[in-house]
Amino acid sequence: MSDPGATSLLRDGFILLGAGLGFVLLFRRLGLGATLGYLVAGAVVGPQLLGLVGDAESKMGIAELGITLLLFVVGLELNPSRLWRMKRDIFGFGLIQVIACGLAISAIIAVFAHFSLPAALALGLPLALSSTAQVLPMLQSSGRLRTPFGERAFSILLFQDLSIIPLITIITAMSRNPADSVGPPGWLLAIYTVAAITGLMVAGRFVLRPLFRGIGNLGEREMFVFAALFTVIASAALMEALGLSTALGAFVAGVMLADSPYRHELEADVEPFRSILLGLFFLTIGMMLNLHAIAERPLFVVTMALALIATKTLVIFLIALAFRMNWRAALALGVLLSQGGEFGFVLFAQATNAYLVAPEAASLFGAIVTLSMATTPFLMMATRRLREQPARDDEEREGPSADGANALVVGYGRFGQTVGQILLASDIPVTLIDTDIEMIDVAAEFGAKVYYGDGTRLDVLRQAGAAEAELILFCIDGDQIAPDILEGVHEAFPDAAIYVRAYDRRALVKLKGGPAKLVVREVLESAVRMARHALEELGIDKEEIDRAEQMYRARDKERLRLQIEAGGDMRAARADVAQQVPWGNGK
């Protein structure tokens, strides 16, 4: 007999995933984003409407892993060089924005909605956070993520994501829950936090990096995925055991691996799990929305949502002006970040558990966040003409960085090293990717930052910034680049020119007619160079050497054409012109 519990779980999973898929496709087509689609899907199939799926609380435990993995990915973005370059926006603009917006919204809630000061703070501070899950895809789809405007928006979102930890602490400190009062005192929690972070950093350096190096040498991708999930969950479990935030543990795990060569591979491996579990989180939040409470006070929800959007837009606009952004970019930033965010749902639940707000109030403010998310795409479209930059852009671009690379070099062996170093010598920002652990370690000794990852995988290329890159150069040893790989890369990143190192003539013939803009035979130019030196040593004058080289290149080009016409059959191509040119061995 089948287990009824397992059957129920499968049925709920089928309904939730099906509803999520349908609504996300619909909302994507309408330009409203995936987050809102998940929330509406959860509300429709949940107990408040169709009642097809219930027991949202039990699913929330699994769904919160999505938030945990999101914080891990945020931590992976914080390699020291990028953090240092963006420090003014992250810890200046971001800090001021969270404090100013949080206090302004809390004041509005206290004065006009007549909540107590602790309740107003528990609701208003979370509303200062915007939706990373909604804003980042909007920046990526518009091609603005790597611009100064996009980096500033990302910096603010990054600080907002980090601020969830102190906000949870603030809500816990105001708690009216007797269960919280019997927990460890604040000073002891602070000691636990420092000790746990220190322990995780030490483990990252002396345990995790050697672990990932060993797995990389094995070449087992499944083990890499397994180890990545183990790292996240183990860090979160340690924090939970100490009574601290699981999100903090995941974030620290990401930070301690942010400057490692495995960053892009880890991000690519974790991304599918993060996306699925984050989608489940939003589905569960949708199921938990108290639609009856919302239906009883629709005017309150609409009014507060409008107040939230107007307040955040105005405050962020003024802060941006103070940070010397032009008014058009400042307005665009304010509108883009005007909505509430996904972490608001987490903090509202925390406030409910702390007896600071009633569950009905948490549902009302959850609906306010949802409505504010729905308005963002429309507001961006409505203000487009007003926000358009004049022909002359007054905003100076920051210098190039590894995170905004113009070129991706896949394969850092003897061939890729030459290509990469010449590009770097010309001050071209380059991201280097390889799977050879020993080579990565040696390159690091000479100051070269090479990331671990399989550069033929689209997800790894995407995490490495291929969507914004101008060039993708495949410099891999041997005959490893198949035409279907290049087709997939070109389809995924159509704006990037593709250059390929071909192992020999056969590889070049195989890739001919594909999307690669340039295919280079790895030994051709060095062989031609040696032949020229040989002729010089034999006393041949330069004009004759040039003529011989030109003759060879013309014959080589003709031979390639014939081989391609013969479907790559070198013998057939030779037979057609055997009397015209001496072919050599076909290499």
Side-chain angles (χ1 to χ4, degrees):
M1 291 180 61
S2 61
D3 183 0
T7 303
S8 174
L9 183 62
L10 287 173
R11 187 186 68 85
D12 289 354
F14 164 73
I15 294 171
L16 281 172
L17 294 177
L21 179 63
F23 276 93
V24 167
L25 288 174
L26 174 62
F27 278 61
R28 284 280 196 188
R29 184 169 291 276
L30 295 175
L32 299 177
T35 301
L36 191 59
Y38 284 123
L39 288 168
V40 173
V44 169
V45 302
Q48 303 288 326
L49 283 181
L50 299 181
L52 299 177
V53 180
D55 195 15
E57 289 78 6
S58 66
K59 297 176 178 59
M60 180 58 79
I62 300 174
E64 285 180 345
L65 281 174
I67 297 293
T68 301
L69 291 172
L70 177 61
L71 263 292
F72 176 70
V73 173
V74 169
L76 284 175
E77 293 288 344
L78 282 177
N79 61 306
S81 61
R82 190 178 188 194
L83 182 62
W84 181 255
R85 181 169 56 82
M86 297 165 62
K87 62 184 182 299
R88 181 171 177 266
D89 286 335
I90 296 174
F91 299 107
F93 201 142
L95 175 63
I96 295 170
Q97 182 271 320
V98 170
I99 293 174
C101 288
L103 292 179
I105 297 166
S106 297
I108 291 172
I109 294 172
V111 172
F112 295 101
H114 308 295
F115 280 82
S116 66
L117 181 59
L121 287 172
L123 293 169
L125 292 177
L127 289 174
L129 310 184
S130 306
S131 176
T132 302
Q134 185 178 35
V135 173
L136 285 188
M138 293 176 69
L139 289 171
Q140 287 172 331
S141 63
S142 64
R144 303 191 70 186
L145 184 57
R146 301 291 179 176
T147 65
F149 175 85
E151 288 211 335
R152 177 156 279 173
F154 176 79
S155 299
I156 297 168
L157 291 170
L158 185 57
F159 184 85
Q160 290 179 358
D161 291 343
L162 298 180
S163 66
I164 186 175
I165 307 304
L167 289 180
I168 288 174
T169 305
I170 291 171
I171 292 173
T172 302
M174 297 188 298
S175 175
R176 298 168 182 164
N177 189 345
D180 292 341
S181 64
V182 298
W187 63 268
L188 187 56
L189 283 178
I191 294 176
Y192 284 167
T193 302
V194 173
I197 291 174
T198 303
L200 287 173
M201 298 298 286
V202 171
R205 182 172 185 84
F206 296 105
V207 178
L208 289 180
R209 292 200 182 197
L211 172 65
F212 284 116
R213 184 182 299 115
I215 293 172
N217 285 327
L218 290 175
E220 294 286 346
R221 186 192 167 198
E222 292 79 5
M223 290 301 298
F224 215 97
V225 176
F226 195 90
L229 293 176
F230 168 78
T231 300
V232 177
I233 294 174
S235 303
L238 172 64
M239 291 298 192
E240 185 179 47
L242 295 174
L244 304 172
S245 166
T246 57
L248 175 61
F251 172 74
V252 173
V255 170
M256 62 190 177
L257 293 168
D259 199 36
S260 74
Y262 319 107
R263 170 187 155 196
H264 292 309
E265 182 80 7
L266 284 167
E267 202 167 350
D269 287 337
V270 168
E271 181 63 26
F273 298 96
R274 182 197 69 83
S275 300
I276 293 169
L277 289 170
L278 201 57
L280 181 59
F281 172 80
F282 289 127
L283 283 166
T284 307
I285 290 295
M287 292 169 59
M288 296 175 69
L289 286 176
N290 189 335
L291 300 182
H292 296 296
I294 297 168
E296 290 174 359
R297 302 184 66 185
L299 184 61
F300 176 83
V301 172
V302 173
T303 303
M304 286 301 301
L306 292 175
L308 168 65
I309 294 165
T311 303
K312 291 185 72 173
T313 300
L314 178 61
V315 171
I316 294 172
F317 173 75
L318 294 175
I319 297 172
L321 291 180
F323 273 71
R324 298 184 180 180
M325 291 181 71
N326 66 65
W327 73 268
R328 295 177 186 273
L331 177 62
L333 191 63
V335 174
L336 183 68
L337 301 177
S338 63
Q339 76 290 126
E342 52 273 2
F343 285 123
F345 298 112
V346 177
L347 294 167
F348 295 157
Q350 189 85 11
T352 302
N353 293 335
Y355 294 167
L356 293 173
V357 298
E360 292 77 12
S363 288
L364 284 174
F365 279 87
I368 290 166
V369 170
T370 303
L371 184 58
S372 69
M373 286 181 175
T375 63
T376 303
F378 296 110
L379 288 174
M380 293 300 288
M381 289 187 285
T383 59
R384 179 175 297 157
R385 287 192 176 183
L386 189 62
R387 295 182 291 101
E388 281 181 349
Q389 294 288 345
R392 180 178 175 273
D393 188 358
D394 294 327
E395 196 173 8
E396 293 184 4
R397 290 181 176 269
E398 295 187 27
S401 69
D403 284 316
N406 290 56
L408 270 63
V409 175
V410 179
Y412 200 62
R414 62 186 189 280
F415 191 99
Q417 287 172 20
T418 301
V419 174
Q421 288 170 22
I422 291 176
L423 290 174
L424 290 169
S426 301
D427 294 326
I428 302 296
V430 179
T431 294
L432 308 170
I433 304 172
D434 206 300
T435 56
D436 187 335
I437 297 297
E438 183 178 354
M439 189 282 306
I440 291 173
D441 292 340
V442 172
E445 294 176 5
F446 289 90
K449 180 65 177 178
V450 183
Y451 289 102
Y452 176 87
D454 181 357
T456 63
R457 285 173 50 191
L458 294 181
D459 51 355
V460 172
L461 290 175
R462 185 171 288 106
Q463 298 296 345
E468 292 82 32
E470 298 177 35
L471 268 173
I472 302 175
L473 303 101
F474 289 99
C475 304
I476 304 173
D477 284 327
D479 188 11
Q480 299 182 41
I481 301 295
D484 59 333
I485 292 177
L486 296 184
E487 291 288 351
V489 172
H490 177 66
E491 185 176 343
F493 315 111
D495 295 331
I498 299 173
Y499 286 12
V500 182
R501 164 194 180 182
Y503 178 64
D504 57 12
R505 300 179 61 83
R506 294 178 180 86
L508 191 147
V509 170
K510 185 171 62 175
L511 298 175
K512 197 70 175 177
K517 187 172 183 179
L518 176 68
V519 181
V520 176
R521 282 157 57 193
E522 63 178 28
V523 297
L524 175 63
E525 298 304 323
S526 56
V528 169
R529 184 176 177 84
M530 177 177 280
R532 288 185 64 94
H533 281 295
L535 292 175
E536 288 174 4
E537 188 69 23
L538 294 172
I540 307 299
D541 60 62
K542 185 178 183 302
E543 290 76 12
E544 180 62 24
I545 293 173
D546 290 341
R547 187 196 65 79
E549 180 181 344
Q550 291 169 8
M551 181 182 295
Y552 168 78
R553 290 187 183 276
R555 289 175 174 176
D556 186 64
K557 185 176 181 180
E558 176 66 9
R559 179 170 62 173
L560 282 172
R561 184 185 67 80
L562 292 169
Q563 287 176 204
I564 292 168
E565 290 178 355
D569 188 342
M570 297 183 183
R571 292 184 177 83
R574 287 175 185 166
D576 287 343
V577 290
Q579 303 302 317
Q580 301 177 36
V581 292
W583 291 118
N585 64 1
K587 297 292 184 185

